[in-house]
Amino acid sequence: QQPVQSPQAVILREGEDAVINCSSSKALYSVHWYRQKHGEAPIFLMILLKGGEQKGHDKISASFNEKKQQSSLYLTASQLSYSGTYFCGTRGNQFYFGTGTSLTVIP
Amino acid sequence: DGGITQSPKYLFRKEGQNVTLSCEQNLNHDAMYWYRQDPGQGLRLIYYSQIVNDFQKGDIAEGYSVSREKKESFPLTVTSAQKNPTAFYLCASSMLGLGMGQPQHFGDGTRLSIL
């Protein structure tokens, strides 16, 4: 039941945009997004609780398509601080984190 | 400041030995979780607890045990039955349980290695 993320890895130059996708074979009841820097704890970014919901703060936003069982995370005008591994997470009969997307922003 | 404290930061286990990882939170959260993370991998749920004196197995509970005697504390014991314990262990908590859409707050982790 682990959600699948794509792409697995992406390298961006500062100022470029990126989209990270999270797909589940099971129904998605809510979607969490976290960012983890190497060797550190994951940091919560946002939760989307219902289909059609979109959220964002600063230049990071996300959408949730309940019918397609997908969520996408949008990073615009990327900054060096955006580098890290991004995980989606979703509730099934327990909580499942996605496979992860490694994002590297270079000057 | 409220948060989650995991200790120790690094731990070494000898063959056949049980070791216990500590997790304490002062966020007054009801739910607590233990995850295992292998290099380059995502987080996999070992155990979770939504209230005191109750806990449920995650996907990879074999070789691990937990207790939840106090709301603030959720220690994880890695037993000798866990044959491949080398990993990064993360403890998390949330205000309510799994179904309530609350964010999880993580500790800084414990890195366990086999001697």
Side-chain angles (χ1 to χ4, degrees), chain B residues 14-67:
Chain B
K14 294 180 180 178
E15 294 287 344
Q17 188 180 46
N18 293 355
V19 291
T20 297
L21 284 61
S22 170
C23 178
E24 304 276 331
Q25 53 101 358
N26 60 2
L27 298 166
N28 199 31
H29 285 173
D30 291 304
M32 297 187 74
Y33 314 81
W34 274 106
Y35 293 95
R36 170 182 171 137
Q37 187 173 33
D38 293 285
Q41 304 292 316
L43 286 74
R44 293 183 291 167
L45 185 63
I46 305 172
Y47 270 98
Y48 65 99
S49 167
Q50 301 192 79
I51 55 172
V52 174
N53 292 323
D54 189 46
F55 47 83
Q56 287 79 39
K57 293 182 179 180
D59 273 349
I60 58 166
E62 187 173 347
Y64 300 97
S65 66
V66 293
S67 62

Side-chain angles (χ1 to χ4, degrees), chain B residues 57-92:
Chain B
K57 293 182 179 180
D59 273 349
I60 58 166
E62 187 173 347
Y64 300 97
S65 66
V66 293
S67 62
R68 186 88 188 275
E69 296 177 3
K70 298 186 297 182
K71 189 175 184 178
E72 315 81 64
S73 179
F74 192 40
L76 173 75
T77 297
V78 184
T79 74
S80 56
Q82 173 48 245
K83 297 305 178 189
N84 184 24
T86 298
F88 188 45
Y89 290 87
L90 286 159
C91 178

